[in-house]
Amino acid sequence: MRDKIVAGNWKMHKNAEETEDLLNELINKLPADAAVHIIVAPAFVNLASAVQHLEYTNINVAAQNMHQAESGAFTGEISAAMLNGIGVTSVILGHSERRAYFNETPELLKNKVDTALKNNLLVIFCFGEELKDRQANSHFELVEKQLSESLFHLQEKDWANVILAYEPVWAIGTGETASPEQAQEMHAFIRKTVEEKFGPSVSQHVAILYGGSVKPDNAKEIFSKPDVDGGLIGGAALKADDFVAIVEAAV
Ligand code: 13P
């Protein structure tokens, strides 16, 4: 049995004070002993305070991005070692917003994955098709390509530190979610694809999260599917009560 994971991607929301308020609410309301791994990803400037705030809790902190180089003259960028150095344990890579608005390519993501793993960060790797791909019935092919281009160079041991997050672009922030059956169908395909390349010990252990308009009222049904190991939550992660309800739906 794989553990369930619920991660909140706060995107470019919540200033320092709002971050502290939301974290306090989560600390008070989240079940302390839930058998669910909980991760939150606030904005870069609030990561250090979030780590300190959550020190004696079961909530881990992720970054939403990082640069692929170890260090150097890259004005405005943040390295994996900097994240690791302040106690951030994981990093979201390949989110569709970064692919679409910041031109992140499969090759770049491959480099980011390598740098993150080298610096002992757990990688939450996002991928998923656009509506046009699903309409053209090429969504399986596209997802396989996204996985192979950025992750198939990894060694078997690396997979202990990789979480997959299937996020169909048409379901992100739209209120339209994949049906539990669509999610299961794709997650089973993803697991099979990983198995064909890396074998069953990798494919049976890797967590595959679903992301895209997960809310308290649809979380339980989606999470109950056998190949769905939890969720990557956007909008609903910004409200403590909604996020707590989603975590409880994963228990
Ligand atoms: P929403 O839950 O707002 O659709 O966002 C999903 C997402 O992009 C998480 O990374």
Side-chain angles (χ1 to χ4, degrees), residues 6 28 30 44 51 85 100 116 127 134 144 154 170 176 179 190 203 211 242:
V6 175
N28 289 331
L30 279 168
F44 275 131
V51 169
F127 55 96
R134 191 164 273 265
E144 185 168 6
L154 294 178
W170 48 272
E176 185 173 348
S179 69
I190 294 162
S203 69
D242 285 359

Side-chain angles (χ1 to χ4, degrees), residues 7-11 39-47 51 60-67 78-80 82-84 86-95 98 121-124 126 232:
N9 175 8
W10 293 11
K11 307 190 180 182
I39 301 172
V40 293
F44 275 131
V45 289
N46 298 316
L47 287 174
V51 169
N60 287 303
V61 177
Q64 299 173 21
N65 182 32
M66 47 158 259
H67 196 268
I78 306 285
S79 74
M82 290 172 188
L83 296 173
N84 187 299
I86 59 165
V88 167
T89 50
S90 46
V91 60
I92 297 171
L93 295 176
H95 193 280
R98 299 229 41 104
L121 292 173
L122 184 69
V123 170
I124 303 171
C126 305
L232 181 55

Side-chain angles (χ1 to χ4, degrees), residues 9 11 95 97 167 171-174 211-215 232-236:
N9 175 8
K11 307 190 180 182
H95 193 280
E97 288 150 17
E167 298 204 308
I172 295 177
T174 58
S213 297
V214 177
K215 307 286 176 208
L232 181 55
I233 320 300

